[in-house]
Amino acid sequence: MKMLMIICPENRQQEVRELIAKHNVHSYSEIPNVLGEGKTGKHLGTHVFPGKSVLVFTVVAAAKKDELVQALKDYNESLFEGEGLRVFALPVESLF
């Protein structure tokens, strides 16, 4: 099993949900109002550094991980400059 942590722009949240569902992944959690700094700059929800992100967590089978990561990577390439999608895959040692 793998946990995918997906950080996406707040305005792309619904599109990311739809992409996940399109790949038959229907269990996820979200943390809204994520602030931070990265490759695309600072997103602090202020006038000087506008924008916020959303953190989406999902746990999938290892085989599904590759499929979903590739779909998210393809989606990321369609975003505007200054937008960014980050995906981290982590091992899941137990699940109940």
Side-chain angles (χ1 to χ4, degrees):
M1 303 288 286
K2 298 290 183 178
M3 175 188 290
L4 298 182
M5 292 176 44
I6 305 160
I7 302 172
C8 70
E10 189 175 53
N11 63 323
R12 300 294 188 163
Q13 180 177 8
Q14 185 60 36
E15 294 170 0
V16 168
R17 283 182 190 145
E18 291 169 3
L19 185 125
I20 291 170
K22 181 179 177 182
H23 289 272
N24 294 316
V25 176
H26 303 287
S27 299
Y28 63 91
S29 297
E30 295 180 0
I31 299 175
N33 301 315
V34 175
L35 307 177
E37 178 178 0
K39 187 176 180 179
T40 60
K42 293 180 182 183
H43 301 280
L44 303 176
T46 67
H47 287 93
V48 177
F49 300 109
K52 295 180 185 176
S53 298
V54 175
L55 181 55
V56 180
F57 293 91
T58 187
V59 175
V60 296
K64 176 65 76 175
K65 185 236 13 151
D66 293 336
E67 171 190 329
L68 188 54
V69 166
Q70 186 60 52
L72 290 161
K73 187 175 184 180
D74 293 343
Y75 173 72
N76 184 53
E77 292 174 4
S78 73
L79 299 179
F80 296 115
E81 187 176 332
E83 289 185 305
L85 186 77
R86 294 292 172 256
V87 180
F88 303 89
L90 305 161
V92 174
E93 295 185 19
S94 64
L95 178 68
F96 66 92

